Amino acid sequence: MTQNPNLAALSAAGVSVWLDDLSRDRLQTGNLQNLIDTRSVVGVTTNPSIFQAALSKGTAYDAQVKELAERGADVDATIRTVTTDDVRNACDVLAKQYEASGGVDGRVSIEVDPRLAHDTDKTILQAIELWKIVDRPNLLIKIPATLAGLPAITAVIAEGISVNVTLIFSVERHRAVMDAYLAGLEKAKEAGHDLSKIHSVASFFVSRVDTEIDARLDKIGSEDALALRGQAGVANARLAYAAYEEVFGGDRYAALKADGARVQRPLWASTGVKNPEYSDTLYVTELVAPNTVNTMPEKTLEAVADHAEITGNTVSGTAAAAQETFDKLAAIGIDLPDVFKVLEDEGVEKFEKSWQELLDATQGQLDAAKK
């Protein structure tokens, strides 16, 4: 099988293509393997919304849920078993990509229960538990970049566990995440862990920033305000990349690199375009840079495969222009700290809601299986 040329070009430019979706159906039909073979996919991310959608469609999980019901499993144990089984199997499908990349790619992410987003200690405990249950070296544990999540990131990295930090919206929080990662590496080094085996990505959300800021620009309604629509998401990510280059080009990381430490790669998340007026490949073509990951829903992946123009690095050297965009947004009356707070709160809330829907649907299946 041959790789799609657009996605192959994206990979050649230093962007790892990860699929933002997983289901048992994808695993059983060979669809995931096909995307690896033809769409340059070298990783998979999941979240509560993805699992909720997977379990609510079709019959792929029915037999396992029935079996768990007969064994007396409660709803939390059922979801934990079903989701970790899928993630473990996906890790096995991607094992070749993991080996070929020296552990950089071939990664599959699973998220801690979103109801723990503001509980540091319980997040740490569940991260360690999930790491042990899945028991695969190419796993990433997703921990949200909430204020309670930051010390959890440090503690989990210190245990030698690889982490995908999710729900990052601002450059300020991204810097705090990188700091938490480096602190974790320093503790892991003290504990005698092999730093070369610890990997991390920082999932920086893109499209949601445009959705929130565009709505505020529309409300202002002036010509200057409307002219700024659709620019904030890309500008924000480009500033995040500049911060990444600064931190991992600095002395603190250099001391760890000597012991085999890896950079924490920026990962562009929420890359499905919400506004039909914008190009459906906007958050891919405008965020091409070395040492990054772009995790795409399948719709975006196929749009890139079909008609994206990959022209090489579109991020390096853009920080000044990106900062100018943010200066204009602030000048016109956009309260940026409020934007990022709203987005984080909504992000946690959406995942909690999806998780609750997943709990309710699975409870229904357990109850039906017992009849």
Side-chain angles (χ1 to χ4, degrees), residues 58-139:
T59 59
Y61 298 93
D62 289 1
Q64 185 177 22
V65 171
K66 187 172 187 296
E67 183 197 328
L68 288 163
E70 287 166 356
R71 281 169 28 198
D74 66 15
V75 66
D76 286 303
T78 299
I79 290 169
R80 188 164 55 246
T81 300
V82 167
T83 56
T84 54
D85 280 2
D86 277 2
V87 167
R88 186 183 305 106
N89 289 333
C91 282
D92 290 344
V93 172
L94 283 152
K96 284 182 185 172
Q97 285 65 38
Y98 172 74
E99 294 294 337
S101 65
V104 173
D105 284 313
R107 295 277 172 177
V108 185
S109 297
I110 189 168
E111 190 148 349
V112 295
D113 185 331
R115 295 171 298 178
L116 306 180
H118 303 296
D119 189 321
T120 303
D121 293 342
K122 285 183 180 175
T123 293
I124 295 165
L125 289 172
Q126 194 177 82
I128 294 168
E129 180 189 33
L130 288 170
W131 182 257
K132 287 176 179 173
I133 292 171
V134 175
D135 193 26
R136 292 294 183 271
N138 49 333
L139 181 69

Side-chain angles (χ1 to χ4, degrees), residues 7 22 40 42 47 50-51 54 65 68 94 113 135 144 146 155 162-163 230 240 242 256 312 320 324 339 345:
L7 288 156
L22 183 64
S40 299
V42 291
N47 61 43
I50 284 168
F51 279 127
V65 171
L68 288 163
L94 283 152
D113 185 331
D135 193 26
T146 54
S162 296
V163 173
L256 292 160
E324 201 175 303
V339 166
D345 291 346

Side-chain angles (χ1 to χ4, degrees), residues 309-341:
E309 291 183 28
I310 307 300
T311 57
N313 190 332
T314 53
V315 175
S316 296
T318 61
Q323 185 57 53
E324 201 175 303
T325 297
F326 268 73
D327 291 344
K328 287 178 183 174
L329 288 165
I332 214 159
I334 299 297
D335 182 346
L336 293 164
D338 183 65
V339 166
F340 298 133
K341 184 184 185 306

Side-chain angles (χ1 to χ4, degrees), residues 141-211:
I141 304 295
K142 285 179 91 169
I143 297 175
T146 54
L147 290 176
L150 294 171
I153 293 157
T154 296
V156 172
I157 292 286
E159 294 288 331
I161 294 171
S162 296
V163 173
N164 174 345
V165 183
T166 188
L167 289 177
I168 308 171
F169 294 99
S170 70
V171 176
E172 180 187 23
R173 187 59 58 86
H174 181 216
R175 285 184 177 277
V177 164
M178 291 188 283
D179 181 68
Y181 172 61
L182 292 172
L185 288 178
E186 286 159 356
K187 289 186 175 183
K189 180 180 169 180
E190 282 173 29
H193 289 292
D194 179 352
L195 298 191
S196 70
K197 296 283 195 292
I198 304 170
H199 286 255
S200 185
V201 291
S203 293
F204 203 84
F205 281 53
V206 188
S207 67
R208 293 188 197 181
V209 173
D210 272 338
T211 301

